[in-house]
Amino acid sequence: MVDRYYILEQRKVLDKAASDILNEPKENLLNDLKKIEEKYAITIVYSEVSGSLDQINERIIMEFDKKKIKLNKFWLTEQTLDKLQEKSVNKIYDQGVSKYKVLTKFMKIDNYIIAIGLPLPHMEDTISIVNRFNIVLMSISVILIVFLVVMISNKITRPLESLKNLSQDIANLNFRKEEIVTNDEVGELAKSINIMSGKLEKAHEEINSQNKRLKELMADISHELKTPLSLVKVYEQGISDGLDDGTYRDTIEEQIEKMNALIEKLLFWTALENGTLNKSTFDIGKRIIEMTKKYKLILLEYDINLSLSIDTSKEYLIQAEKEGMDIVLDNLITNAIKYSYDKNIEITLMKESNAVKLMIANGIGEMNENDLENIWRPFYVLEKSRSKELSGTGLGLPIIKTILDNHNVDYGFELKNNKLEFFVTFV
């Protein structure tokens, strides 16, 4: 196939040369053949059509010989001469042991036969070498391609396999991360899965924490309800047995009121967690002053000194829900009265740049770190309350925490020199 294609391309060269010859003026034709030879790198000879056929052949062979082309095999036949009357004729002359061929195009113009010759090397050996080279090259190419495919496949599939294992681990609640560094979509996917794993781990921990708190809450609620229910049952049995001294019914009603108050506080607490805020701007300093007035009698009864550090010439404007802040202030003041062992309560209000900071402090006596850690826990009540009348359900501080969390403000407790100081900062 290669040698045929090569011969076809060389014939095109001869055809172009023949076309140029035909386009040359006849009076200058023989003189211009040299230019056409140089242009196409071919050999052009010519002979008059005179004498016998053998004489014509000898003259053409002699002309080729003058131009360094040795022809061992060359001949023109009568049939070829006849064809030249109408068109050009192409011939290939194999020179045998000389190992080359001569591609020749014959043309007849007037009384001249023009032979355009182009020596061709034997292609068989060359093609054989080229074929062997191609086989070796193709083999190397196939091996290289297979190697590259395997390498690229591993590069692609290895991260995907790691991501598959990571996904399975995450599904099994093993929230780990996989470091995959690639500069493509797989790398971006790995980063997204790692972020997802971290968020799922955090959410899972939060759910577990919520479940734990829920179990503790249920246990606390059960404990809080168990005592009044037991008393109701005992006193109801006493009434049935005729042991009532006239106080049993009052005791039953008192315990029912406690359970009702507990249930109402729980419902209120639940509503706080699921409710929306109705914020407005108001002066919290004025609200505190008004709030403390209703505690005057209790403060006198227990001989407690309430110190207000509020500059009435200033405005302490905050943006919050009035009802919610009233509940916070009411619970904080009540707690301060219950646990004020040094009989001093200090309420301080300060303006710091664009912030308003509220601090309520009271002497707490001895208090360990466990008490401070559990102070936000539902139903957690310090044992040494001064006022049984003010003793509540143990939901006051959790309600405060929920309200302040909803307002997204900074708050907390600090224990200094046996004084417990609650602070909240409104920005």
Side-chain angles (χ1 to χ4, degrees):
M1 291 294 294
V2 176
D3 57 341
R4 291 181 182 178
Y5 177 75
Y6 178 71
I7 291 172
L8 178 63
E9 290 297 313
Q10 296 305 313
R11 279 182 176 172
K12 291 179 181 178
V13 174
L14 298 185
D15 290 340
K16 290 179 181 179
S19 177
D20 286 359
I21 291 171
L22 291 173
N23 291 328
E24 286 291 332
K26 292 183 179 180
E27 58 273 12
N28 297 323
L29 176 60
L30 297 179
N31 295 326
D32 292 338
L33 291 180
K34 184 65 175 177
K35 296 179 182 178
I36 298 174
E37 277 186 320
E38 293 174 354
K39 180 180 178 181
Y40 294 102
I42 56 178
T43 301
I44 303 176
V45 299
Y46 59 89
S47 172
E48 289 183 343
V49 185
S50 62
S52 65
L53 185 59
D54 290 338
Q55 289 174 334
I56 294 173
N57 281 323
E58 286 177 6
R59 286 197 295 268
I60 293 176
I61 292 173
M62 188 180 299
E63 291 297 323
F64 272 120
D65 186 63
K66 289 179 182 179
K67 295 189 177 183
K68 308 302 182 183
I69 296 178
K70 302 293 183 179
L71 298 178
N72 297 323
K73 297 180 180 180
F74 182 86
W75 61 90
L76 278 174
T77 64
E78 293 288 348
Q79 186 178 5
T80 302
L81 290 176
D82 292 338
K83 288 182 179 179
L84 287 175
Q85 301 298 326
E86 300 176 359
K87 60 181 180 178
S88 62
V89 176
N90 294 318
K91 292 283 187 179
I92 296 178
Y93 298 101
D94 191 341
Q95 302 306 306
V97 293
S98 299
K99 291 191 174 180
Y100 73 93
K101 297 178 182 179
V102 179
L103 176 62
T104 309
K105 188 176 191 68
F106 294 100
M107 303 171 58
K108 187 174 183 297
I109 298 178
D110 294 338
N111 198 36
Y112 289 92
I113 293 177
I114 298 175
I116 308 171
L118 186 60
L120 303 176
H122 268 289
M123 301 295 291
E124 287 78 4
D125 294 340
T126 305
I127 291 172
S128 177
I129 294 171
V130 171
N131 287 339
R132 287 198 299 272
F133 176 76
N134 285 338
I135 291 172
V136 173
L137 183 61
M138 288 177 63
S139 300
I140 295 173
S141 300
V142 169
I143 294 171
L144 183 61
I145 290 170
V146 170
F147 173 76
L148 290 175
V149 168
V150 171
M151 186 176 67
I152 294 172
S153 297
N154 286 336
K155 187 177 180 181
I156 295 173
T157 58
R158 194 181 299 115
L160 293 176
E161 183 69 21
S162 298
L163 289 179
K164 185 189 79 171
N165 294 334
L166 175 61
S167 301
Q168 290 174 345
D169 287 343
I170 292 174
N172 293 325
L173 304 183
N174 178 17
F175 301 105
R176 64 178 182 86
K177 294 183 180 180
E178 189 76 43
E179 293 300 325
I180 297 175
V181 181
T182 58
N183 297 321
D184 54 16
E185 290 79 2
V186 176
E188 293 299 320
L189 178 61
K191 289 179 184 178
S192 299
I193 292 178
N194 285 337
I195 293 171
M196 180 188 69
S197 179
K199 290 183 178 179
L200 286 175
E201 182 178 19
K202 186 176 180 181
H204 186 256
E205 290 174 355
E206 181 64 25
I207 290 172
N208 287 338
S209 177
Q210 291 281 7
N211 287 338
K212 182 180 178 182
R213 288 197 293 269
L214 181 60
K215 289 179 181 178
E216 292 174 350
L217 178 62
M218 295 303 295
D220 291 338
I221 292 173
S222 300
H223 177 75
E224 291 294 322
L225 291 175
K226 186 176 181 180
T227 300
L229 283 173
S230 298
L231 288 173
V232 168
K233 184 177 181 181
V234 169
Y235 280 92
E236 187 274 333
Q237 187 63 44
I239 292 174
S240 299
D241 294 341
L243 302 176
D244 186 6
D245 60 358
T247 63
Y248 282 23
R249 186 179 181 86
D250 293 337
T251 302
I252 290 173
E253 289 179 353
E254 180 184 350
Q255 298 304 316
I256 290 174
E257 284 298 322
K258 284 185 178 181
M259 288 189 289
N260 184 58
L262 173 62
I263 292 170
E264 286 183 355
K265 277 286 183 73
L266 285 170
L267 291 173
F268 178 71
W269 185 26
T270 303
L272 281 177
E273 291 189 334
N274 298 322
T276 56
L277 296 177
N278 184 19
K279 289 185 178 182
S280 62
T281 301
F282 61 94
D283 190 333
I284 193 172
K286 292 180 180 179
R287 302 291 290 182
I288 293 172
I289 293 170
E290 293 173 4
M291 184 77 65
T292 54
K293 290 178 181 178
K294 72 177 185 178
Y295 289 100
K296 282 186 177 180
L297 293 178
I298 294 175
L299 293 171
L300 288 172
E301 181 181 351
Y302 291 103
D303 194 24
I304 295 174
N305 177 52
L306 174 62
S307 173
L308 286 177
S309 296
I310 301 175
D311 189 348
T312 55
S313 65
K314 295 182 179 179
E315 286 188 327
Y316 299 90
L317 298 177
I318 65 169
Q319 190 175 31
E321 187 179 59
K322 283 186 180 180
E323 293 77 8
M325 288 302 108
D326 285 346
I327 294 170
V328 170
L329 293 171
D330 187 56
N331 277 280
L332 288 176
I333 294 170
T334 301
N335 280 342
I337 293 171
K338 283 195 293 183
Y339 300 107
S340 180
Y341 286 93
D342 62 354
K343 296 188 177 182
N344 284 301
I345 298 173
E346 298 173 2
I347 300 178
T348 305
L349 201 59
M350 298 188 305
K351 288 191 77 172
E352 300 176 344
S353 299
N354 295 325
V356 175
K357 187 172 184 178
L358 168 66
M359 292 171 287
I360 299 179
N362 61 276
I364 198 67
E366 294 184 2
M367 185 176 184
N368 58 41
E369 292 297 326
N370 289 333
D371 289 331
L372 198 60
E373 289 177 2
N374 293 321
I375 204 165
W376 297 112
R377 179 180 167 184
F379 304 109
Y380 182 79
V381 179
L382 291 176
E383 295 179 358
K384 299 178 181 179
S385 172
R386 291 181 53 86
S387 173
K388 299 300 180 184
E389 289 82 0
L390 290 173
S391 180
T393 60
L395 291 173
L397 288 177
I399 287 174
I400 290 174
K401 183 178 186 301
T402 300
I403 292 172
L404 295 179
D405 283 340
N406 289 343
H407 281 77
N408 196 28
V409 296
D410 183 35
Y411 67 93
F413 278 108
E414 290 181 352
L415 187 61
K416 298 177 180 178
N417 301 322
N418 293 329
K419 272 195 172 185
L420 185 65
E421 182 183 273
F422 177 89
F423 67 89
V424 57
T425 304
F426 301 94
V427 180

